[in-house]
Amino acid sequence: MPFMSMRLLTAWQVQRTIIHTALDDLESFLWVLIWGIVYASKNIEGAMAANDGIELMLQAWSGDVMCNRAKCSTAEYSWKDAVFGDLIKEWLKIFQKANEENRQLTENMSFMHLDSQEWNDACNKLESYCKDIYKEVLESGFRYLDEVRKYSDWDKVVSANVSRFC
C-alpha cells in the first residue's frame, strides 16, 4: 500500500471501482523514490531533524488507507530535501494534473464493451495521454539529474540537507 497512487488509494478508501492505468504505476515510482530516501536517511544523524517529512512519511506508511493518503500532503508541504525536493514537488504537480485527466479519460470505460470501437478509441486516447505524461516526467527527471550528480555518495546528500535545513 505505501507505493499506491493517490487515485487508487482514494478509490479504495471510498470503495469505488476504477481502471488501473500506467499513470498509477508511474506515480508509484515517486513513492518508491521517497521511500528509498526515507529509509536510507532515517538513521543518519541529523537527517530527521533536517527533514520533518521523514517522520511524517513513516507515520503515513504505518497506518491504514486514510493514513497512507497523508503521504501526498506530507510530500507537498513538509518534505525538505536540498537534493531531491524540487524534483519531488515537480512530479507531484504533474501527477495531480494527470490524475484529473486520467479520471476523465477512464470514468466511462467500465461501461464500454471490450470489443467496441468506443473502447478502442478510449484506450488509444488514454495510451497517448499516458505517453505524454511519461515523457514529461522523464524530461523533468533528466533536468534534475545534473543536480543529483553533484553528490558522490549518500552521506553527502544527507549532509547537504542537514546544513541547509538545520
Side-chain angles (χ1 to χ4, degrees), residues 100-133:
E100 179 56 29
E101 183 70 18
N102 197 7
R103 184 191 63 74
Q104 290 175 9
L105 288 169
T106 60
E107 68 184 341
N108 295 321
M109 289 179 76
S110 60
F111 303 110
M112 296 176 190
H113 294 286
L114 295 181
D115 292 333
S116 69
Q117 186 60 45
E118 181 184 33
W119 172 262
N120 289 335
D121 291 345
C123 288
N124 289 336
K125 198 172 189 179
L126 179 61
E127 179 182 17
S128 176
Y129 185 69
C130 289
K131 285 178 180 179
D132 290 344
I133 296 300

Side-chain angles (χ1 to χ4, degrees), residues 26-166:
L26 183 60
E27 183 183 330
S28 291
F29 178 76
L30 169 66
W31 303 119
V32 170
L33 172 65
I34 294 173
W35 181 89
I37 294 168
V38 166
Y39 277 86
S41 303
K42 69 179 184 167
N43 295 322
I44 296 174
E45 186 177 339
M48 297 276 267
N51 187 349
D52 296 338
I54 293 172
E55 181 62 35
L56 293 171
M57 281 296 185
L58 290 168
Q59 289 172 14
W61 290 328
S62 67
D64 59 7
V65 173
M66 184 67 151
C67 290
N68 199 298
R69 289 187 62 218
K71 68 186 178 188
C72 190
S73 59
T74 296
E76 191 171 2
Y77 301 112
S78 302
W79 191 258
K80 297 176 186 171
D81 190 313
V83 180
F84 297 100
D86 290 339
L87 173 63
I88 289 168
K89 287 187 182 359
E90 184 171 333
W91 281 359
L92 281 170
K93 286 178 189 173
I94 292 169
F95 294 134
Q96 287 166 351
K97 174 189 74 169
N99 280 339
E100 179 56 29
E101 183 70 18
N102 197 7
R103 184 191 63 74
Q104 290 175 9
L105 288 169
T106 60
E107 68 184 341
N108 295 321
M109 289 179 76
S110 60
F111 303 110
M112 296 176 190
H113 294 286
L114 295 181
D115 292 333
S116 69
Q117 186 60 45
E118 181 184 33
W119 172 262
N120 289 335
D121 291 345
C123 288
N124 289 336
K125 198 172 189 179
L126 179 61
E127 179 182 17
S128 176
Y129 185 69
C130 289
K131 285 178 180 179
D132 290 344
I133 296 300
Y134 267 71
K135 181 180 177 187
E136 188 176 351
V137 167
L138 285 170
E139 286 173 348
S140 68
F142 281 115
R143 278 195 310 274
Y144 285 96
L145 192 56
D146 288 335
E147 181 66 27
V148 174
R149 285 184 178 150
K150 293 178 185 177
Y151 304 94
S152 58
D153 61 44
W154 194 250
D155 289 336
K156 287 186 174 47
V157 169
V158 173
S159 181
N161 283 316
V162 169
S163 65
R164 180 172 174 190
F165 297 113
C166 281

